[in-house]
Amino acid sequence: DDEDDGYYFLSSDARREIPNYKYDGEDQSLLYIYLLAPVATYLVKNCTPSCIAPNTITLTGLVFMVVSYSILWYYYYSSSFDRLLDEPRWAFFFHGCAMLIYQTLDNMDGRQARKTNSSSPLGLLFDHGCDAINSLFGSVCWIIGLGLNFRDDPVHCTWIILGPMVLFYIATWEEYYTGKLVLPFINGPSDGLFYGAILSFVTCFYGTEFWMSTSLYDNYLSTWLQLSSPLRNADLQVLAAVIGMINEALFDKSQRIVRQYGFKTLRTQIPIWTLVVLTTLMIQSDTTKSLWQRATRTSLHIVSGLFVEIVSQLMLDHISHQTFLYKNMTKLFLLFLPPAIIITAIKDEETAANALLVYCTALWSFLIFKITLVVQEMCRLLGINCFDIMTPNKKNNRKKIA
């Protein structure tokens, strides 16, 4: 039946539920309420033509982050992001600007959708998908901006890469059960991105050596916190982020959902913790960390691809009111299996690195294919176009799903 209707990823049940989905969200950040939201509202009302599709705004923000990530990738070409003697200070300034632009456009797309009466489940899925892809870009640029690398600071880098992914997944997981996305008083999309931009500007003007120094500890903490080895400024940034991440993911959202819906809800966290454990083992294990350092970017892109797959599927199942866990565990196992085999079975690191590159290319090729097809199917289902709100979609199929 699905094949006859021309759908592959959207089941008949999903097609019945998706058109009825209504987004419900709240951002409790004071920064968002008093600065980010008013700026976004002003720009949409006064500077954004009604002919521009909300998804175009979302994608434009992601493009800025891709360009920024690519620039830093070009300069920090070593696998472990080793610090450079001649740092490209302007690249950090550009990255700070890119983060602010991304954040502003991310706040504008929903307002543009309401302004043009073009809000849809596709817009939510597209927005969350871009945010999931951007998670790696922001984290890697944060690592480079702090002067850290996977060889000398593997624990710091592990937290910076996986922490935002866990927070993103837990927030989506909460929304899956409650039907509402609640961003707390201090959160990543508002406060985290804004602080990340400030961090990049600090690196631009003072260099990564500022983060390698112990000036903050020496001037403000040493009198009441006596340590045998003083904390670097970079250590303090990561420590503060880790405390915030643990509090939000475990002691706030997870506890609240478990109390409200029971311990069975934790089963739907299996995918993200599987990704966390396997990635941490590869970075920290004596038998695999040299491979990770040899193929850092390839490995990061694999982790990012697996994260995008599991969190976007969770969001898709949320807006279509489908059960997430059981039908996806087999697929998830199959996605994790190839890199696990490569890491454990291939002893030659160069061969293993090349095999990981092949798998990474295949993974992202699959993701691009899936994302494109899901977008096309949702456009057909809802009778809309992804990047054009002025032209009706002639392939509207909503009459068939009554």
Side-chain angles (χ1 to χ4, degrees), residues 153 156 211-223 225-236 239:
D153 312 284
H156 297 64
W211 302 111
M212 292 294 102
S213 73
T214 60
S215 59
L216 295 178
Y217 174 84
D218 295 337
N219 294 329
Y220 303 104
L221 299 177
S222 59
T223 55
L225 182 63
Q226 299 292 330
L227 298 175
S228 57
S229 178
L231 296 173
R232 300 172 300 176
N233 295 344
D235 300 330
L236 294 174
L239 180 61

Side-chain angles (χ1 to χ4, degrees), residues 62 66 69 128-140 161-162 164-165 168-169 272 275-276 279 292 296-313 332 335-336 339 359-360 363-364 367 371:
L62 182 63
V66 170
Y69 175 74
H128 278 55
C130 288
D131 289 341
I133 294 172
N134 182 59
S135 176
L136 177 69
F137 301 153
S139 294
V140 168
I161 292 295
L162 295 177
M165 293 183 179
F168 192 107
Y169 186 93
I272 189 62
L275 180 63
V276 166
T279 303
W292 176 277
T296 302
R297 288 190 175 87
T298 301
S299 302
L300 285 172
H301 294 158
I302 291 175
V303 172
S304 174
L306 293 171
F307 170 70
V308 170
E309 163 61 18
I310 60 179
V311 78
S312 61
Q313 185 63 53
L332 180 66
L335 287 174
F336 278 116
Y359 174 74
C360 181
L363 173 63
W364 276 100
L367 287 175
I371 292 169

